[in-house]
């Protein structure tokens, strides 16, 4: 059975890079009827916050990526890690090291002077030096001293590290707390993770984790190191480029499925297909097809994908989303489906859609000052006459044409004052559709409001 996991450190919000890695893990597990686990890596008590952990879970809920089993918190597992440290010491695969900070600094200085890379020299390995009183020892693992540490990465192919790139690194600090790579390896093993899909910023951790697996005599999982997402200039994705909290996308009117669809395509493709239902993704996704080079974040593509999803959304779901996030309740609006049809075509986010729809639902409370200067009592009289004329005509477009011809008027002579009355500004949706959605009765009310404003 394939078991994957997403293991965020709750030092901040879930950003889109994290969400993409999680999505890859989620799809791969679901595709194989396996398990997708969620683990909160909160051992760094100083840097972690409970609020961040909560925000991460909230984002998962929003995108509806449910995980299997209980969410694990590393901060609750210190006893377990201590047992495994003990076990490695008993197996002779790890040992206490009593070097002081001053001694370590001196060693590092000497090595740097000689132009060498600083590394622990193994002086307490195999009991070469006796324990020391008054020093709380760290625990170091016996890393391989020669040869290579190699593995077959599902994306990068064969990855090899020379053993001399590792030293006997610390697995438990002098205060007995376990170190990062140790707990990751223990947890992945204990929870039965078979496939580790993570950002390739973790690639340098992998040989250490493999050394831990080997020390226990365990088989290593399959690793997939996913290349980063870069900005359009090829640099690190920053907040300005869109590397923000996933929940900011909700606030800005993106649909969760659209965001996931966009993210899956950053690094993975299936021919030139752009839009995938979740069922299709579950059928088609395979992490070994993830591109080996970095992908570029393209904000206008995300808007395009979002628009495709907005267009395809049912009225009921659209109404529910607008109510939840944009304080707009269309459920009592008579011509809501016509209104949505109009807005869907134009709006690439729900935020913009809500703004457009509100122009119909709410009467204008203010008017564009420049446009207002175009309105005269004469133009208002034209509009009123037109509304009387159009009242019982079903075909509003025909009515407009007929009226303009009969009165010998140009379209703007009617359209501008009418739009200002309806929406507070001279530009906007087409007149006939606007009238069909609002109805002539409502249009007359808005004309009277404008009249009051002018007088
Ligand atoms: N906790 C790590 C992070 O948030 C991920 C570790 C892993 O996936 O192995 O970057």
């Amino acid at each position: 059975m394939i078991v994957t996991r997403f293991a965020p450190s709750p030092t901040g919000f879930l950003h889109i890079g994290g969400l993409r890695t999680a999505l890859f893990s989620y799809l791969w597990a679901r595709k194989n009827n396996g398990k997708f686990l969620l683990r909160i890596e909160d051992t760094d008590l100083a840097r972690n916050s409970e609020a961040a952990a909560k925000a991460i879970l909230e984002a998962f809920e929003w995108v509806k990526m449910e995980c299997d089993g209980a969410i694990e918190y590393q901060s609750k597992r210190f006893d377990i890690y201590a047992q495994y440290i003990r076990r490695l010491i008993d197996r002779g695969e790890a040992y206490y090291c009593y070097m002081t900070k001053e001694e370590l600094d001196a060693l590092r200085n000497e090595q740097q002077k000689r132009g060498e890379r600083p590394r622990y020299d193994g002086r307490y390995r195999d009991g070469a030096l006796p324990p020391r009183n008054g020093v709380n020892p760290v625990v170091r693992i016996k890393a391989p001293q020669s040869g290579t540490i190699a593995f077959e990465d599902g994306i990068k192919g064969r990855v090899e590290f020379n053993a001399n790139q590792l030293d006997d690194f610390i697995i438990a600090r002098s205060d007995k707390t376990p170190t990062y790579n140790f707990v990751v390896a223990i947890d992945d093993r204990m929870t039965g993770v078979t496939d580790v899909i993570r950002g390739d910023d973790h690639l340098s951790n992998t040989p250490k984790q493999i050394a831990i697996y080997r020390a226990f005599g365990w088989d290593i999982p399959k690793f997939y190191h996913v290349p980063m997402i870069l900005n359009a200039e090829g640099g690190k994705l920053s907040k300005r480029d869109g590397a923000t909290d996933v929940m900011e996308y909700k606030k800005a009117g993106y649909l969760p499925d659209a965001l996931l669809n966009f993210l899956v395509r950053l690094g993975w493709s299936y021919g030139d297909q752009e839009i995938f239902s979740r069922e299709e993704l579950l059928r088609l996704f395979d992490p070994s097809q993830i591109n080996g080079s970095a992908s570029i974040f393209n904000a206008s593509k995300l808007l395009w994908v979002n628009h495709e999803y907005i267009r395809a959304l049912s009225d009921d779901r659209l109404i529910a989303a607008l109510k939840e996030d944009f304080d707009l309740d269309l459920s009592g609006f008579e011509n809501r489906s016509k209104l949505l049809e109009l807005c869907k075509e134009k709006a690439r986010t729900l935020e913009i859609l809500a703004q457009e729809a509100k122009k119909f639902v709410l009467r204008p409370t203010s008017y564009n000052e420049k446009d207002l200067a175009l309105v005269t009592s004469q133009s208002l009289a034209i509009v009123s006459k037109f509304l009387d004329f159009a009242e019982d005509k079903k075909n509003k477009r025909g009515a407009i044409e007929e009226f303009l011809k009969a009165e010998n008027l140009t379209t703007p002579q009617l359209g501008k004052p009418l739009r200002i009355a309806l929406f507070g500004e001279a530009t906007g949706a087409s007149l006939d559709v606007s009238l069909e959605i609002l109805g002539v009765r409502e249009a007359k009310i808005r004309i009277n409001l404008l009249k009051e404003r002018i007088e």
Side-chain angles (χ1 to χ4, degrees), residues 352-371:
I352 297 170
L353 197 148
Q355 276 166 16
E356 288 301 311
K358 274 179 189 167
K359 292 182 190 164
F360 287 85
V361 177
L362 307 171
R363 291 171 184 152
T365 52
S366 65
Y367 297 89
N368 179 308
E369 287 299 326
K370 237 173 89 202
D371 291 347

Side-chain angles (χ1 to χ4, degrees), residues 5 13 31 45 60 82 111 137 150 168 215 220 284 315 325 349 363 374 390 392 407 412 414 422 432:
R5 63 12 169 221
F13 300 110
K31 174 181 184 170
L45 300 173
F60 266 75
Q111 288 170 329
D168 286 354
I220 62 166
L284 300 172
D315 286 358
D325 291 321
T349 68
R363 291 171 184 152
L374 305 169
D392 53 0
E407 300 290 322
L414 171 68
L422 298 183
D432 52 331

Side-chain angles (χ1 to χ4, degrees), residues 14-289:
L14 179 62
H15 57 86
I16 53 150
L19 181 60
R20 182 187 63 151
T21 316
L23 173 64
F24 288 161
S25 298
Y26 168 85
L27 290 174
W28 189 227
R30 290 281 170 273
K31 174 181 184 170
N32 291 290
N33 294 317
K35 280 189 188 163
F36 170 63
L37 311 178
L38 189 57
R39 174 171 84 226
I40 306 292
E41 304 212 309
D42 56 351
T43 50
D44 188 345
L45 300 173
R47 287 181 64 221
N48 297 150
S49 87
E50 224 170 279
K54 245 183 85 187
I56 291 170
L57 300 184
E58 205 190 355
F60 266 75
E61 212 165 285
W62 178 55
V63 299
K64 295 202 174 60
M65 266 174 21
E66 61 299 333
C67 64
D68 296 302
I71 299 165
E72 296 277 11
Y73 290 82
Q74 288 185 327
S75 59
K76 296 187 181 141
R77 296 165 57 81
F78 281 108
D79 289 348
I80 297 169
Y81 305 133
Q83 286 169 27
Y84 279 87
I85 302 248
R86 182 76 251 161
R87 226 204 258 183
L88 271 197
I89 295 172
D90 292 344
R91 284 169 68 95
E93 296 286 350
Y95 58 92
Y96 291 110
C97 168
Y98 295 83
M99 253 177 120
T100 61
K101 188 178 173 308
E102 291 70 31
E103 287 168 334
L104 264 175
D105 288 344
L107 175 65
R108 185 174 303 132
N109 284 338
E110 270 171 46
Q111 288 170 329
Q112 276 169 341
K113 250 189 244 154
R114 289 199 299 268
E116 292 168 11
R117 204 151 50 108
R119 67 199 305 270
Y120 174 67
D121 59 5
R123 66 179 69 174
Y124 280 89
R125 189 169 172 137
D126 293 325
L129 288 173
R132 253 153 88 175
N133 280 334
V135 178
N136 287 328
V138 299
V139 179
R140 291 185 180 272
I141 192 167
K142 283 190 192 170
Q145 290 180 305
S146 59
T148 56
I149 296 180
F151 64 96
E152 202 53 38
D153 189 274
I155 298 169
K156 296 184 183 291
R158 188 177 165 81
V159 179
E160 231 179 73
F161 292 88
N162 205 312
N164 67 18
Q165 285 172 270
L166 285 191
D167 59 6
D168 286 354
F169 59 90
I170 297 173
I171 55 173
R173 303 180 188 91
S174 55
D175 64 1
K176 298 193 164 56
T177 56
T179 55
Y180 171 74
N181 283 300
F182 189 76
V183 298
V184 171
I186 298 300
D187 284 341
D188 282 340
R189 171 70 188 190
M190 285 195 68
T191 52
V193 170
T194 59
D195 293 50
V196 172
I197 302 174
R198 63 181 168 208
D200 68 2
D201 49 335
H202 285 285
L203 191 59
S204 60
N205 288 326
T206 307
K208 291 188 177 177
Q209 293 173 16
I210 290 177
I212 294 163
Y213 274 86
R214 282 196 190 164
F216 281 104
W218 297 334
D219 289 337
I220 62 166
K222 176 98 193 149
F223 291 102
Y224 297 86
H225 287 95
V226 181
M228 301 280 96
I229 304 173
L230 303 178
N231 66 20
E233 288 79 44
K236 192 172 171 313
L237 200 63
S238 73
K239 218 172 161 148
R240 218 191 42 217
D241 305 310
T244 45
D245 172 10
V246 164
M247 295 309 272
E248 290 294 321
Y249 286 91
K250 180 176 196 274
K251 286 188 208 139
Y254 289 87
L255 294 169
D257 286 335
L259 184 61
L260 294 183
N261 191 143
F262 168 75
L263 287 176
V264 80
R265 286 283 292 101
L266 287 178
W268 177 81
S269 58
Y270 184 75
D272 52 13
Q273 186 170 339
E274 290 292 355
I275 303 296
F276 296 88
S277 67
R278 214 173 272 206
E279 291 67 38
E280 275 178 304
L281 285 178
L282 289 175
R283 191 154 39 78
L284 300 172
F285 178 76
D286 185 333
S288 61
Q289 295 163 349

